[in-house]
Amino acid sequence: EPEVTQTPSHQVTQMGQEVILRCVPISNHLYFYWYRQILGQKVEFLVSFYNNEISEKSEIFDDQFSVERPDGSNFTLKIRSTKLEDSAMYFCASSETPLIPTYEQYFGPGTRLTVT
Amino acid sequence: AQSVTQLGSHVSVSEGALVLLRCNYSSSVPPYLFWYVQYPNQGLQLLLKYTSAATLVKGINGFEAEFKKSETSFHLTKPSAHMSDAAEYFCAVRYSGNTPLVFGKGTRLSVIA
C-alpha cells in the first residue's frame, strides 16, 4: 500500500541552525501539508501546498518557515533559524485532490526535531 | 473558531471492556469529522470518518463512532478492548474544501490485561 515517507526520523540541531525536513508524498496525490505536534500538545496545522504554491498557512508558519517541492516527488519544510520552541514532531500529509472535504489525508511517520 | 475537545487525556480500560473516547466539536456549519490513531513511533492512521451519509460510522479494527448533532459529539467506541488497541487517538474536524484538519489534544488509551 502506498505511504507517505519522511526523513530523517529524528533530527537534532543547535539553535540558530537551518534544518530541512523531507517528505515523499503518495505519488498521485496533489495536495500536501505540514503539521507539527509539540510534546504533550495537539497536532497543529502549519501549511498546505497545491499546484506549486502555498494554499493556506497558519499563524505558526512565519518567515522562518518555507516549503518547496523541488523535484516533483519530494516535499520539504525548511526552518531557517531554529529556536528552542521549534522542537516538535513534524508530520507531512498528502491527499488525492482538493475541494473534497471527505478525502483522507495520509500522514507520514513524522520527524522528531530537537533544538538544543 | 473551529475547535475539537477530547475529554480525558488518558483512558485506561481492562482487556475485553468497552472503550469510549469522547470528542466534542464546535461548529456553526456541518462538519466533517475524523478519528485518527497513532501507534508508538508511527504516523497518524485514519480509523474512520463522518461524511454525512450515516450518523453511525464503522471503521477499522472494530471501532465505530456516532455523530450526534444535538450534542455536537462524535465519540469513538469499541465493544471489547484488545491489548493492541493501546495507542493515542485523535479526533479531528474540517469544514469545507481541502481545508486543514483541526485536531483535538488526543487521548492515550491504555489496555490492562
Side-chain angles (χ1 to χ4, degrees):
Chain A
E1 187 177 330
E3 57 182 15
V4 177
T5 59
Q6 291 185 243
T7 54
S9 57
H10 190 193
Q11 172 96 45
V12 181
T13 189
Q14 289 190 325
M15 198 165 50
Q17 295 296 304
E18 175 183 286
V19 293
I20 297 176
L21 309 183
R22 290 184 168 78
C23 167
V24 179
I26 294 173
S27 61
N28 64 332
H29 285 187
L30 301 175
Y31 222 86
F32 314 116
Y33 307 81
W34 284 102
Y35 292 82
R36 79 170 185 192
Q37 184 184 26
I38 294 171
L39 189 64
Q41 298 185 26
K42 61 174 69 177
V43 177
E44 302 171 291
F45 166 73
L46 292 178
V47 65
S48 59
F49 191 86
Y50 171 67
N51 203 24
N52 283 320
E53 61 183 24
I54 289 174
S55 178
E56 188 171 348
K57 60 183 181 179
S58 71
E59 292 175 353
I60 303 168
F61 194 86
D62 61 21
D63 292 344
Q64 292 298 314
F65 291 90
S66 62
V67 288
E68 196 178 32
R69 188 153 162 82
D71 56 14
S73 63
N74 289 282
F75 178 52
T76 61
L77 175 69
K78 184 194 295 186
I79 309 175
R80 245 177 292 279
S81 176
T82 50
K83 305 187 259 270
L84 293 175
E85 54 265 37
D86 293 327
S87 295
M89 181 73 92
Y90 288 81
F91 292 105
C92 174
S94 68
S95 69
E96 222 172 323
T97 179
L99 304 179
I100 301 182
T102 58
Y103 266 65
E104 179 181 350
Q105 292 183 18
Y106 291 80
F107 283 79
T111 293
R112 179 165 298 285
L113 177 65
T114 303
V115 183
T116 61
Chain B
Q2 309 159 8
S3 68
V4 173
T5 303
Q6 290 184 244
L7 289 176
S9 59
H10 185 203
V11 170
S12 187
V13 300
S14 298
E15 193 173 19
L18 171 72
V19 175
L20 171 60
L21 304 182
R22 298 177 187 274
C23 172
N24 289 87
Y25 65 92
S26 66
S27 170
S28 58
V29 297
Y32 299 93
L33 293 153
F34 304 79
W35 275 100
Y36 280 85
V37 61
Q38 183 182 27
Y39 298 104
N41 301 315
Q42 294 187 30
L44 299 166
Q45 179 184 3
L46 182 70
L47 269 180
L48 49 81
K49 60 185 179 184
Y50 168 70
T51 62
S52 76
T55 56
L56 183 62
V57 181
K58 292 188 186 301
I60 62 171
N61 302 339
F63 283 93
E64 61 183 39
E66 186 173 8
F67 173 71
K68 291 187 177 180
K69 186 178 176 181
S70 61
E71 299 177 7
T72 60
S73 69
F74 191 56
H75 301 330
L76 182 71
T77 59
K78 182 173 180 177
S80 176
H82 295 161
M83 298 297 289
S84 59
D85 294 327
E88 187 94 18
Y89 292 80
F90 294 93
C91 183
V93 64
R94 72 193 321 183
Y95 293 91
S96 63
N98 214 358
T99 54
L101 290 166
V102 176
F103 283 88
K105 279 193 158 186
T107 298
R108 184 160 60 90
L109 175 66
S110 297
V111 182
I112 305 165

